[in-house]
Amino acid sequence: MRGGCVGADEIRSQGFSLNELFRDVTYEIDYYQRDYTWGEEEVRTLLRDLCDSFRTWSADSAYLRRPHTAPQYFLGPFVYHEPSKNRRYLVDGQQRFVTLHLLFLQLRLWAQDAGDPQTVDQLNRVITIDGQHFCVGITDHDPVLLAISEGRKYETGAGDSLSRRNLWARSQQMESQLVEELDAEKLRHFTEWLLKRVVMVGIRAAGADHGYRMFETMNDRGARLTAVDLLKSHLLSNVGSGEDQLNTQWHEMVRELSTDREDAQAASRFIKAYLLARCAREGHDDDRRQIAINLNVWVRQNATHLGLVPERPDNFLRFVQDLLKSARLYRPILAASRTLKKAGDRLEAVLYNERNGLGAQSVAVLAAIDPDDQPTDAKDKGRLVAAYIDRWYALRILQDLPVQSADADALVHATLVPLLRGCHTVVDVASVLGDLVQQDGDPIREAVTLGLRGNNAHQIRYLLARATAYVEEACQRPPDVLAYLDRDQFHIEHLWANHHHRVADHIPDPVVFRSRRSQLGGLGLLRGRENSSINDLPFHDKAGLYARSNVLLGVIAPAYDRRNPVLRDFIKTHQLDKFLRSFGPTETMTSVVETRQQLYLRLFEHIWKPEHLGLPASEPTPSGGYSQPTAHPRRAAPRRRPASGRRTDVARMVDAQVLKAGTRIVLNYRSTDHWATIDANGGIVLAVTGGTPYGRVDEAGAVARGTKTCQGMNEWHIEDENGVRVSLRTVRDHAVASGVL
């Protein structure tokens, strides 16, 4: 795929698959390049887009049979110069190249754990050029890449560059997200698709000097008009009088939204969210897709729907004014999404949602805010919406249900936006969300065995962080919830080290031990340096050392509360005397874990109690500080069908009645059978543990086997009346072949 550009001898372009791009080539950077700076959002978006595209591709059986006929996924252009064969310098594209290289490393670790030598070999060829030197040859990165490659932790130090720190953080993020996004069974297909069907177009400069001039041109000589610029031009050219004043206000809006100089996309994200919240048609998925791709084109193509026709300049004026007023009202919400505000601001849920990848909250907030709202009312609406979404997220975790961005998108666009558009006052918003809360039931107390699993470390950390901060604040100690959420500062501490023999007398089954050890009740948050020093000690030896930690861990130490009257008052007020306590040397692992599991669940009930969040169970009254309900009718909250929301193959087979709820399945590992039951939502309940189901067969299999990964669809089997075992993968493939799935 070659094409001549300006001066065929100087600039040339070529299309590469990732397999071609990284194989037998070393990429370096020149002195003028910046550090590796991609953050959580950029990496999350790239991985999500790749995994979503792969799922679409893999859902078509024709593409699976003939992969070379599948559409290619275009990952954008890059610019380079090539001083010698197989050695290239990146002029533009470093962030994507480094991120892709990290992805290859994580996929290889996964393939090694899965015992898939073919996939390992494919990835070896794009990770190094000779088995030793990395294809992305940035010397500063090598210590981190080597640690990742060897599957060991990289200890960041004071002298580490921003790139090194960020590489390690993004690698850890990738590890968690990949397990969330992909089943182990899909690893080989995903790797093949990634290497062969994902393409980039390289633009080759004639040499280093030419490359530098191109770099300057791209970075210092102005930028092309963006979709936001084009939209502004279109709207303001049709408003009639007052164009100059509106133009000034538009520039002010962009400046205020882009408070972070690096956040050049802030205005674009806001306008997209505004269009989705207030203008997109309900049930029109194509509206959402088009707005996300090119908001300017969507506005032009839907002029009649929006009332933006040339003969009505007043409509253009009103549209622009509403957009500008909404931006001004949204500013406190945007600021809260970037930093934790003072406690009295009560917008902390906005930041939590942003940190949890629930960026779709902006659409729901803007659906609730009316352009003519008073600033205090707009802030109250935003607080209520963010609090509801935060509670939804916590409840989904506690029920072991999916909490990926796609699930939040479905909540926002299918449920919240249609309801919130019909609200006018703060009381309307509170009432609508209160109606939704009533449909949630009381799932918190049911999470009696929930804990740390292969793909939920981020979510479990969040629950632990909120509980830890809640108790610290109640005990008049300054909580640092952002530090608790930082995996480098605080580690998830297992109260019991991974030594089954220490408790084998009362927990003889190793599967039960592994499951119980990772339950919430067996976990806490501990500073990294403290965790490193006491990690392998027996539980009762650790207990006294916890006294110097946060209250939730410290209370385990004997007599911790004797000199702490504030803690005693907290325990009494919340009726936690049986749960928030120390444990004597005779108490068993089972007793401690079950007691502390109940402690966490009771704390979660307080933290996410609807009334504490301003989400009443019934119509709020003026005494609550809200205005009286208006006479405008509002849409009733839809009755939501109880559904798991799981998108796994097992859940699909249960929905299609290929498998029945209650079906028993078995996994044989090292001559031992491990049994489980499939529940009505496609969850997997291990027979020896019971309780909260595992969301995926991979996770249940990994716990049963005591390994990091498991290809669950291959290893779990159903057994017929004759004792013949058939893998879940075979059952699924037969259902697909017969047209049932």
Side-chain angles (χ1 to χ4, degrees):
M1 191 170 108
R2 296 180 182 274
C5 296
V6 179
D9 293 334
E10 293 188 358
I11 302 176
R12 292 185 180 179
S13 63
Q14 179 179 354
F16 300 90
S17 68
L18 297 190
N19 204 34
E20 297 167 332
L21 199 60
F22 285 90
R23 193 163 180 170
D24 299 324
V25 180
T26 298
Y27 291 93
E28 302 173 51
I29 58 173
D30 278 310
Y31 67 90
Y32 51 80
Q33 293 284 354
R34 61 177 175 167
D35 287 332
Y36 175 62
T37 59
W38 263 21
E40 279 193 42
E41 184 59 33
E42 290 91 348
V43 171
R44 184 187 299 115
T45 299
L46 176 64
L47 284 188
R48 186 175 63 234
D49 289 349
L50 288 172
C51 291
D52 286 348
S53 297
F54 166 72
R55 278 190 286 269
T56 300
W57 173 85
S58 61
D60 192 318
S61 58
Y63 292 155
L64 286 175
R65 289 193 301 270
R66 303 178 65 192
H68 64 280
T69 65
Q72 294 177 319
Y73 181 88
F74 179 54
L75 204 55
F78 68 99
V79 182
Y80 69 101
H81 64 88
E82 196 167 30
S84 60
K85 185 179 180 182
N86 301 337
R87 186 181 180 208
R88 296 170 181 157
Y89 278 81
L90 289 168
V91 175
D92 178 66
Q94 178 202 168
Q95 307 296 316
R96 280 169 295 155
F97 271 68
V98 172
T99 304
L100 288 169
H101 199 237
L102 284 177
L103 176 57
F104 298 156
L105 286 165
Q106 287 298 338
L107 289 172
R108 186 173 69 176
L109 286 174
W110 196 357
Q112 288 169 340
D113 287 340
D116 186 349
Q118 181 178 332
T119 301
V120 170
D121 183 61
Q122 281 185 295
L123 291 163
N124 282 339
R125 297 170 189 269
V126 294
I127 291 173
T128 64
I129 57 172
D130 53 10
Q132 294 182 341
H133 297 91
F134 293 111
C135 292
V136 179
I138 302 174
T139 306
D140 180 57
H141 296 184
D142 284 353
V144 185
L145 297 182
L146 188 61
I148 296 169
S149 181
E150 295 173 354
R152 57 182 171 84
K153 178 178 173 61
Y154 178 75
E155 299 288 349
T156 55
D160 276 337
S161 64
L162 171 62
S163 287
R164 287 189 187 179
R165 294 174 180 274
N166 201 39
L167 278 167
W168 178 247
R170 300 290 72 77
S171 173
Q172 296 298 101
Q173 174 191 344
M174 277 188 184
E175 181 181 15
S176 299
Q177 189 175 348
L178 279 172
V179 176
E180 287 183 25
E181 298 275 4
L182 294 174
D183 293 331
E185 181 197 14
K186 303 290 197 309
L187 171 62
R188 178 178 295 185
H189 285 310
F190 177 75
T191 301
E192 290 179 352
W193 173 83
L194 180 71
L195 295 180
K196 296 178 181 178
R197 304 308 295 166
V198 176
V199 299
M200 298 179 72
V201 171
I203 302 171
R204 192 181 74 180
D209 290 343
H210 191 203
Y212 182 66
R213 292 199 303 273
M214 293 176 69
F215 176 83
E216 282 189 314
T217 299
M218 291 185 293
N219 289 277
D220 295 336
R221 299 185 184 176
R224 294 183 306 166
L225 290 176
T226 66
V228 172
D229 296 324
L230 294 170
L231 177 64
K232 182 193 76 169
S233 176
H234 169 62
L235 294 173
L236 297 191
S237 65
N238 286 279
V239 296
S241 60
E243 178 182 346
D244 290 341
Q245 181 181 359
L246 288 173
N247 184 51
T248 300
Q249 293 174 355
W250 186 287
H251 282 293
E252 180 70 11
M253 174 191 76
V254 172
R255 186 186 66 79
E256 290 177 347
L257 291 173
S258 304
T259 53
D260 180 352
R261 276 191 249 177
E262 296 294 324
D263 192 3
Q265 299 301 314
S268 175
R269 285 198 300 273
F270 165 74
I271 295 175
K272 287 177 182 178
Y274 178 86
L275 294 174
L276 291 168
R278 307 198 67 84
C279 304
R281 290 162 292 192
E282 293 178 21
H284 283 238
D285 290 341
D286 196 53
D287 278 3
R288 290 167 52 192
R289 185 178 64 83
Q290 290 293 338
I291 290 171
I293 293 173
N294 198 326
L295 57 92
N296 168 59
V297 172
W298 183 83
V299 170
R300 286 176 174 270
Q301 290 179 342
N302 291 275
T304 302
H305 163 63
L306 298 171
L308 299 177
V309 291
E311 57 270 20
R312 293 298 305 273
D314 54 322
N315 284 1
F316 281 89
L317 178 62
R318 187 179 307 111
F319 185 92
V320 174
Q321 289 176 333
D322 284 351
L323 179 67
L324 296 176
K325 288 188 288 187
S326 296
R328 193 170 298 112
L329 294 171
Y330 182 70
R331 277 172 49 206
I333 310 298
L334 179 62
S337 73
R338 291 170 169 162
T339 184
L340 194 61
K341 298 294 183 180
K342 57 186 178 183
D345 204 31
R346 298 201 299 167
L347 287 173
E348 57 271 15
V350 176
L351 179 62
Y352 299 151
N353 291 337
E354 195 71 22
R355 292 286 295 264
N356 289 327
L358 308 177
Q361 72 172 334
S362 60
V363 177
V365 169
L366 286 166
I369 293 176
D370 188 278
D372 293 320
D373 277 342
Q374 292 297 313
T376 54
D377 287 345
K379 185 183 290 188
D380 282 344
K381 287 180 177 181
R383 174 182 55 80
L384 289 168
V385 172
Y388 175 82
I389 293 174
D390 176 53
R391 184 178 186 273
W392 170 88
Y393 180 79
L395 295 188
R396 298 278 291 189
I397 298 171
L398 289 163
Q399 296 171 87
D400 196 40
L401 299 179
V403 288
Q404 296 172 18
S405 58
D407 305 294
D409 288 347
L411 168 74
V412 167
H413 295 290
T415 301
L416 294 183
V417 168
L419 291 173
L420 294 172
R421 281 182 177 176
C423 295
H424 298 280
T425 66
V426 177
V427 73
D428 290 341
V429 173
S431 182
V432 160
L433 297 177
D435 289 346
L436 291 177
V437 164
Q438 292 306 298
Q439 298 178 33
D440 291 331
D442 185 22
I444 294 180
R445 291 286 180 98
E446 299 170 8
V448 292
T449 59
L450 180 70
L452 188 64
R453 295 172 181 179
N455 71 333
N456 71 347
H458 176 87
Q459 290 83 17
I460 293 300
R461 172 180 291 278
Y462 182 63
L463 295 180
L464 292 172
R466 292 297 304 275
T468 302
Y470 181 76
V471 176
E472 291 289 285
E473 186 172 20
C475 292
Q476 299 177 11
R477 294 170 47 150
D480 192 349
V481 67
L482 295 186
Y484 303 149
L485 292 171
D486 186 338
R487 73 180 85 196
D488 289 330
Q489 294 191 58
F490 278 82
H491 294 174
I492 295 178
E493 156 77 347
H494 283 82
L495 303 186
W496 273 264
N498 193 17
H499 297 300
H500 177 223
H501 65 273
R502 293 177 179 173
V503 297
D505 56 335
H506 76 277
I507 306 180
D509 193 313
V511 177
V512 175
F513 167 73
R514 287 194 291 270
S515 175
R516 195 156 293 161
R517 173 178 178 264
S518 293
Q519 283 181 217
L520 270 172
L523 305 173
L525 290 178
L526 189 63
R527 283 199 178 276
R529 59 178 180 271
E530 296 175 17
N531 186 43
S532 299
S533 65
I534 68 174
N535 189 43
D536 210 38
L537 290 174
F539 168 72
H540 290 291
D541 291 343
K542 288 182 180 182
L545 302 176
Y546 286 147
R548 59 179 181 246
S549 187
N550 56 72
V551 175
L552 264 182
L553 275 182
V555 75
I556 293 175
Y560 180 86
D561 65 337
R562 288 181 184 172
R563 294 187 300 273
N564 196 332
V566 177
L567 173 59
R568 291 200 302 272
D569 288 344
F570 173 76
I571 291 172
K572 182 179 179 180
T573 301
H574 288 70
Q575 299 179 334
L576 296 174
D577 52 297
K578 295 181 181 179
F579 309 104
L580 190 56
R581 62 179 179 84
S582 60
F583 298 91
T586 61
E587 294 202 58
T588 65
M589 177 182 180
T590 298
S591 172
V592 174
V593 171
E594 289 180 350
T595 298
R596 286 184 61 83
Q597 189 90 7
Q598 289 300 319
L599 166 64
Y600 280 123
L601 299 185
R602 280 163 172 74
L603 291 175
F604 297 152
E605 286 182 328
H606 286 287
I607 294 168
W608 285 291
K609 188 175 183 179
E611 290 81 356
H612 291 169
L613 304 177
L615 304 175
S618 57
E619 287 290 329
T621 63
S623 61
Y626 299 134
S627 59
Q628 287 278 10
T630 66
H632 299 284
R634 61 175 177 82
R635 185 182 310 194
R639 296 300 300 178
R640 291 180 290 172
R641 178 178 63 89
S644 71
R646 294 193 176 105
R647 296 179 296 276
T648 64
D649 285 336
V650 172
R652 291 171 57 222
M653 286 192 284
V654 171
D655 287 343
Q657 299 186 340
V658 173
L659 295 173
K660 294 181 179 179
T663 297
R664 297 184 73 220
I665 56 177
V666 62
L667 177 151
N668 185 277
Y669 183 66
R670 294 183 176 177
S671 302
T672 299
D673 281 347
H674 300 278
W675 290 89
T677 303
I678 299 173
D679 71 12
N681 293 320
I684 312 300
V685 182
L686 292 175
V688 295
T689 62
T692 307
Y694 289 84
R696 302 194 309 181
V697 286
D698 290 0
E699 299 165 10
V703 171
R705 290 165 31 124
T707 56
K708 189 173 182 180
T709 60
C710 171
Q711 293 195 23
M713 292 297 291
N714 292 332
E715 299 195 40
W716 286 103
H717 295 70
I718 60 172
E719 185 176 88
D720 66 17
E721 61 274 10
N722 298 316
V724 177
R725 295 183 175 182
V726 180
S727 72
L728 290 178
R729 178 177 182 174
T730 300
V731 174
R732 180 204 62 198
D733 291 349
H734 285 166
V736 171
S738 64
V740 177
L741 283 183

